[in-house]
Amino acid sequence: MYESGELDYRNIRGGTGPLVYPAGFLYVYSFLKSATNNGQNVFQAQVYFSFIYIWNLAIVLIMYSILTRRMTMYCTTHSQQVNLVWSWRIAMACCCFSKRIHSIFVLRLFNDGPAMLLLYLSILFFLHNRWNIGCFFFSCAVSIKMNILLFAPGLLLLLLQYPNSIWDTVVCLGICATVQLILGAPFLLSYPTSYVRKAFELDRVFFYKWTVNWKFLSETTFVSK
């Protein structure tokens, strides 16, 4: 529908129901659709997601390495340093062998993959005090999956503590907002209410058949408010 020029979010639907993700999701998966023979070449899509998975894992391991180096500074004995290093190594191994992560990235091709890649990339920049570019990638992640907003309170707290002045914080927040406005511009200029209500629909009810983590609940409990 989007490829044919439809800009009203209320009318854009897919195989699993109406579109309930921001514009970044639409752009990413429209590209994937065009790059995989109109979505018919699933293997090609899995190849793309395997690269996303590798990049995601590499960034996470880099962050683990940075945190390990910083935390060893607070170890007073050699044995504490050894225990800390091996603890992080075990955590890294768990990331590499996680069946759930493999399923999300390579088998199911969920939007969690590109969204978390951009989120982790933003956190990596935050670790190096690159707040502006970090906020840019954070907002890009939000544009793919709204769940990334769950990290927003923590990010706001950091922005109030670490940048040099309140003006720097305002600039960072402005970057986040500007990214959303630019990516959503085609829809905001045409059907603003429709886009805001559907792309950031906080009260939507998920389909029980698509859940993985909550299968232990009955469908009635799952969809109840």
Side-chain angles (χ1 to χ4, degrees):
M1 294 181 181
Y2 166 69
E3 292 89 343
S4 62
E6 179 62 67
L7 296 177
D8 190 344
Y9 248 59
R10 294 171 299 182
N11 299 328
I12 303 177
R13 303 178 62 87
T16 58
L19 178 61
V20 291
Y21 297 112
F25 167 88
L26 198 57
Y27 300 145
V28 169
Y29 279 84
S30 294
F31 166 77
L32 285 174
K33 184 178 179 181
S34 64
T36 55
N37 191 23
N38 202 32
Q40 299 301 311
N41 193 340
V42 177
F43 176 75
Q44 185 65 41
Q46 290 178 316
V47 171
Y48 291 140
F49 266 77
S50 67
F51 282 109
I52 293 175
Y53 169 64
I54 293 172
W55 294 335
N56 181 84
L57 188 59
I59 292 173
V60 171
L61 295 181
I62 290 172
M63 290 193 295
Y64 275 140
S65 299
I66 293 173
L67 292 174
T68 301
R69 289 197 300 269
R70 293 182 181 181
M71 292 180 66
T72 52
M73 297 170 55
Y74 300 97
C75 296
T76 57
T77 64
H78 178 68
S79 61
Q80 288 180 335
Q81 292 181 348
V82 172
N83 291 335
L84 176 64
V85 170
W86 275 103
S87 297
W88 284 114
R89 287 177 177 176
I90 293 172
M92 292 177 183
C94 291
C95 290
C96 296
F97 296 109
S98 171
K99 181 179 178 181
R100 174 67 171 156
I101 294 178
H102 294 168
S103 174
I104 289 175
F105 278 83
V106 183
L107 297 179
R108 301 177 185 271
L109 311 182
F110 286 162
N111 58 335
D112 301 72
M116 293 306 297
L117 172 64
L118 292 172
L119 173 67
Y120 288 138
L121 186 59
S122 71
I123 294 175
L124 183 61
F125 280 110
F126 293 148
L127 288 173
H128 290 90
N129 291 320
R130 301 290 300 277
W131 297 98
N132 289 353
I133 191 170
C135 285
F136 169 79
F137 284 110
F138 178 84
S139 191
C140 289
V142 172
S143 75
I144 296 177
K145 189 160 188 175
M146 188 186 64
N147 293 23
I148 304 300
L149 281 175
L150 295 173
F151 294 87
L155 175 58
L156 178 60
L157 179 62
L158 292 175
L159 289 176
L160 292 173
Q161 290 179 337
Y162 288 101
N164 296 325
S165 65
I166 189 64
W167 172 247
D168 292 332
T169 300
V170 172
V171 170
C172 289
L173 295 176
I175 291 173
C176 292
T178 301
V179 170
Q180 294 301 315
L181 291 174
I182 292 175
L183 293 176
F187 310 98
L188 289 170
L189 294 174
S190 302
Y191 302 94
T193 303
S194 175
Y195 176 74
V196 173
R197 291 189 61 181
K198 298 301 294 183
F200 301 95
E201 188 177 12
L202 298 177
D203 60 345
R204 69 176 182 265
V205 177
F206 296 92
F207 290 114
Y208 178 73
K209 66 179 180 179
W210 297 116
T211 184
V212 175
N213 296 330
W214 301 96
K215 282 295 186 183
F216 63 91
L217 297 176
S218 66
E219 184 172 1
T220 302
T221 304
F222 180 81
V223 300
S224 67
K225 295 184 179 180

